Amino acid sequence: MKKVLNGNEAVARGFYEAGGLVSASYPGSPTVEIIQTLIDEYDEIYAEFSINEKVAVEVGIGASIAGARTLVAMKHVGVNVAMDPLMTFTQTPINGGFVLISGDDPGMSSSQNEQDNRILAKFAHMCVFDPGDAMEAKVMTKEALSISETFGLPVMVRMTSRVCHSRSIVELEDRVDRVVSGFSKKIEDYGMIPPHTFKKQYEMKNRIAKLQDFIESSPINRLEDDYRSDVLIVTSGLMYQNLKELNLKLDVLKLGVVYPLPIEQIRALKKRYARVIVIEEMMPFIEDELKIHGIACEGKEFFSFTGELMSEAILKGLEGAGAVEANDAEVIEATETVNRFSMFCAGCPHRPVFDILKKNKVSVIGDIGCYSLAVLEPFELVNTIISMGASIGMMKGMSKAYQMAERQEPLVAVIGDGTFYHSGMTGMLNLLHQLDPDYNLTLLILNNGTTAMTGGQQTASSGYYTDKSDMKVDMETLIRSMGFERFKRVDQFEYKAAKKVIDEELKYEGLSIVMTTRACALQYKIVKPHYVVDPDICIGCRSCLKTNCPPILMKAYEGHDKLKSSIAKEMCVGCSVCAQVCPVGAIKSSSAGEV
């Protein structure tokens, strides 16, 4: 049976077919659909969104040591969070196969940086698969589990955003059930303190060496030498697919595993070709590996070190290298699509909060989540975004720097509930340490009950918004138990009352914590009667427009010379913020009668 799947769905399918049992993740683009698919479609598998990536890896390590085939998925920066347990786990033996899916993001379409996790995998002594489409993603997930058990090491399947989200035909196979073998309880294998660790270092190195011997003749790497060209292209993953779109008459070594490389195979091939050119996105990882082993090759001098490498860029690079002529290629013209500007959704509960902050003309230390969009027009308010949970620690660090310089400047930080539970809590606890009780610090916790940016996965307090979540942590109780006293809740859709509280807390000398309480409108499908504009009352001041709500626009009404506000009723969710900021009462609920 065949089915059209995207790369994420194909990974989930591969894990299912391979007899996978336990999976964990923290939601993050581009890999969030893997765990969501396992939750929605495969009852045979336990799947969870953990509190952060480190905990997800720890859940996976426990399952693997117990003998279950295990999958852990995360976006590329999430691997940074998970590196602590991962770096030790790569020393121990594997019981149940362990696969780590890394979602790399060339071009940073939804990420704060662009990092190449092939390098982290090598650093951790992990094998790396690099699929180029959905079918390969399924096949390589299964093969990665097999190699993990055969050679006793964790394996990374490195996906990229475009492979995660693009679709292709996938051949479906039956699931093969596997028995959970149980925990061996060998202290010398898993008790990772000296003297056990010294022996494990050598075992880790030997595992990679044995795997490299296997990779030399593995069909997972494929030579296509029909053209007998002078130039050999070495590439992998999506770059192979982009290259093939050009229909160039060049021989290609298509790698399925990019670490360790089949070095002796490539060394032998080098004797047959005048030149070896490596095509890869982001860092020159394959190129550097070849040069380290004394194999002359070219690559990054012809291709960008950052962003995606589409077919046009590959062709341009190969022309620059003198490997092809321009008319050698068949370039398919891309279809133009409409760009969509990033902005808050209709009815987003973050919008009134940033409207209030902007009116206060404060600088804001931001964090990772939907509210990151406040860095863009029209708010342009969030001044810093670094990493998950960083805002609270940064606020303290900035206050200390100002104190050392004998300055004082009010500081404001914002963080969502998902990010707070992910890694903001540690920064929160650190605020208790040597905090100046008189320094004006304000922390706004935007508790919308979900990790909305990645599609609506649960947080630790989602249970307050839906019965489907089994986690119902009361954030106020949690924060007060840490030792913080000044904590206020506001309903930001009661705009004037919320503004009064926030305005007061921004002026408070000391640490003030304000939590907003409205749920994500998109996740919880909150729709009330839409709002309408009375053009006879509207003065065209655009106060409502400045809230950046998608349904609001200015239009010409018959009988009025001046443009007046209008609300697209099919988009309005009835949050009422526009009505509350209107200075003349021109905006009213449709439930009060059409205007």
Side-chain angles (χ1 to χ4, degrees):
M1 178 181 175
K2 294 180 180 178
K3 193 172 182 180
V4 176
L5 300 177
N6 68 32
N8 286 332
E9 294 167 336
V11 167
R13 180 71 194 187
F15 186 59
Y16 164 79
E17 291 179 3
L21 283 175
V22 177
S23 61
S25 175
Y26 183 80
S29 180
T31 56
V32 67
E33 282 178 302
I34 296 172
I35 299 299
Q36 196 62 55
T37 301
L38 291 173
I39 291 172
D40 294 342
E41 298 185 16
Y42 301 111
D43 293 338
E44 299 87 346
I45 297 169
Y46 172 78
E48 72 166 42
F49 285 107
S50 307
I51 211 74
N52 66 25
E53 295 85 354
K54 175 176 176 289
V55 174
V57 164
E58 290 162 350
V59 170
I61 290 172
S64 174
I65 286 176
R69 282 194 160 183
T70 301
L71 180 147
V72 180
M74 56 197 63
K75 69 181 298 171
H76 62 291
V77 291
V79 180
N80 302 340
V81 180
M83 281 301 281
D84 194 13
L86 188 65
M87 287 296 289
T88 301
F89 187 48
T90 54
Q91 290 182 306
T92 73
I94 290 293
N95 193 3
F98 182 99
V99 170
L100 173 67
I101 309 292
S102 170
D104 288 12
D105 190 13
M108 297 160 281
S109 61
S110 61
S111 307
Q112 65 268 43
N113 73 14
E114 179 190 69
Q115 68 183 46
D116 193 328
N117 278 358
R118 295 176 299 177
I119 296 169
L120 282 186
K122 179 187 176 184
F123 180 48
H125 287 76
M126 296 174 71
C127 172
V128 185
F129 280 80
D130 192 12
D133 60 23
M135 184 62 199
E136 282 194 348
K138 193 205 81 162
V139 170
M140 290 185 182
T141 299
K142 297 171 72 172
E143 185 67 18
L145 286 162
S146 176
I147 280 184
S148 175
E149 291 172 351
T150 302
F151 294 91
L153 77 174
V155 177
M156 176 184 287
V157 176
R158 181 251 194 176
M159 305 279 282
T160 58
S161 299
R162 202 165 289 272
V163 176
C164 286
H165 297 140
S166 60
R167 294 178 178 274
S168 62
I169 296 173
V170 176
E171 182 86 36
L172 304 187
E173 298 170 278
D174 293 334
R175 174 177 169 86
V176 177
D177 289 324
R178 301 184 67 86
V179 176
V180 176
S181 56
F183 179 30
S184 72
K185 300 181 181 179
K186 290 182 179 177
I187 294 176
E188 65 271 26
D189 279 346
Y190 299 108
M192 298 308 291
I193 58 172
H196 306 313
T197 48
F198 297 114
K199 184 181 178 185
K200 294 302 170 192
Q201 281 290 97
Y202 287 97
E203 290 180 0
M204 180 173 63
K205 184 174 182 295
N206 290 338
R207 285 195 290 265
I208 288 291
K210 289 178 181 177
L211 177 60
Q212 179 149 9
D213 291 342
F214 171 80
I215 292 298
E216 292 287 354
S217 58
S218 170
I220 202 76
N221 302 315
R222 184 174 71 243
L223 176 65
E224 299 175 0
D225 59 353
D226 295 339
Y227 299 111
R228 300 293 175 177
S229 55
D230 292 334
V231 175
L232 174 67
I233 302 297
V234 177
T235 190
S236 66
L238 185 63
M239 294 306 93
Y240 170 81
Q241 305 292 350
N242 290 350
L243 175 69
K244 297 302 284 186
E245 284 187 356
L246 298 170
N247 292 315
L248 298 171
K249 294 180 179 179
L250 293 172
D251 290 355
V252 178
L253 176 63
K254 196 270 188 189
L255 299 170
V257 170
V258 295
Y259 185 78
L261 290 175
I263 292 297
E264 296 311 317
Q265 181 188 7
I266 298 174
R267 197 188 305 280
L269 285 172
K270 178 66 180 72
K271 296 175 183 175
R272 288 171 42 186
Y273 294 90
R275 301 169 71 186
V276 171
I277 297 179
V278 179
I279 301 176
E280 55 189 328
E281 280 178 332
M282 299 199 288
M283 302 296 287
F285 179 80
I286 298 171
E287 181 182 346
D288 285 351
E289 284 296 297
L290 297 184
K291 288 177 177 175
I292 287 170
H293 288 85
I295 300 173
C297 62
E298 304 158 88
K300 277 300 166 186
E301 59 265 53
F302 307 116
F303 306 101
S304 172
F305 77 98
T306 184
E308 294 185 295
L309 275 185
M310 308 306 284
S311 297
E312 294 81 359
I314 290 175
L315 178 60
K316 186 176 180 181
L318 290 174
E319 289 172 4
V324 297
E325 300 292 334
N327 55 9
D328 289 345
E330 299 175 14
V331 179
I332 301 172
E333 292 293 330
T335 303
E336 287 193 15
T337 56
V338 177
N339 288 326
R340 178 182 178 275
F341 186 74
S342 299
M343 63 190 304
F344 292 122
C345 304
C348 175
H350 299 329
R351 181 177 290 105
V353 178
F354 287 104
D355 186 69
I356 293 168
L357 291 176
K358 184 153 189 173
K359 286 172 178 169
N360 276 280
K361 299 180 180 178
V362 292
S363 300
V364 177
I365 303 163
D367 221 300
I368 304 291
C370 284
Y371 44 94
S372 304
L373 296 175
V375 79
L376 304 174
E377 293 180 343
F379 290 114
E380 296 182 297
L381 183 63
V382 172
N383 301 95
T384 67
I385 300 172
I386 298 297
S387 63
M388 291 286 286
S391 60
I392 302 175
M394 288 174 62
M395 181 171 67
K396 179 177 179 181
M398 291 173 77
S399 72
K400 292 299 179 187
Y402 282 142
Q403 283 180 310
M404 298 296 287
E406 298 183 347
R407 292 174 52 189
Q408 187 170 87
E409 182 176 315
L411 296 173
V412 181
V414 295
I415 190 169
D417 52 325
T419 312
F420 178 83
Y421 294 123
H422 175 279
S423 49
M425 286 196 296
T426 47
M428 195 79 202
L429 283 169
N430 192 56
L431 278 180
L432 294 167
H433 175 58
Q434 297 188 9
L435 184 68
D436 183 342
D438 296 325
Y439 202 103
N440 184 336
L441 303 176
T442 307
L443 173 64
L444 278 92
I445 303 176
L446 311 178
N447 187 357
N448 65 356
T450 188
T451 52
M453 188 168 234
T454 51
Q457 292 71 40
Q458 68 182 25
T459 75
S461 58
S462 295
Y464 279 100
Y465 297 91
T466 172
D467 294 335
K468 293 180 180 178
S469 173
D470 61 349
M471 298 178 76
K472 196 174 180 181
V473 175
D474 184 277
M475 191 175 289
E476 180 173 355
T477 302
L478 173 65
I479 289 174
R480 288 191 184 280
S481 71
M482 289 180 182
F484 298 98
E485 297 178 352
R486 195 173 180 91
F487 184 101
K488 297 192 175 182
R489 294 173 183 256
V490 296
D491 177 352
Q492 64 270 48
F493 284 175
E494 295 294 330
Y495 181 87
K496 292 179 181 176
K499 186 174 187 307
K500 182 174 184 295
V501 172
I502 293 173
D503 289 352
E504 289 173 354
E505 297 309 303
L506 291 177
K507 296 171 184 171
Y508 175 72
E509 297 298 329
L511 173 64
S512 179
I513 302 164
V514 179
M515 185 180 76
T516 61
T517 54
R518 282 285 180 167
C520 170
L522 197 65
Q523 172 64 9
Y524 299 108
K525 314 297 182 192
I526 298 168
V527 180
K528 296 180 179 178
H530 67 277
Y531 275 68
V532 293
V533 177
D534 187 337
D536 293 331
I537 301 176
C538 177
I539 57 176
C541 68
R542 305 188 182 219
S543 295
C544 56
L545 204 65
K546 291 174 184 173
T547 63
N548 188 32
C549 194
I552 304 174
L553 67 156
M554 303 300 288
K555 79 169 191 180
Y557 288 86
E558 186 175 352
H560 296 271
D561 295 334
K562 190 175 180 181
L563 291 176
K564 305 291 183 73
S565 294
S566 176
I567 298 173
K569 67 178 182 181
E570 65 277 9
M571 296 175 66
C572 177
V573 301
C575 73
S576 82
V577 170
C578 56
Q580 296 183 61
V581 301
C582 177
V584 294
I587 303 176
K588 300 173 183 175
S589 172
S590 60
S591 62
E594 290 283 356
V595 178

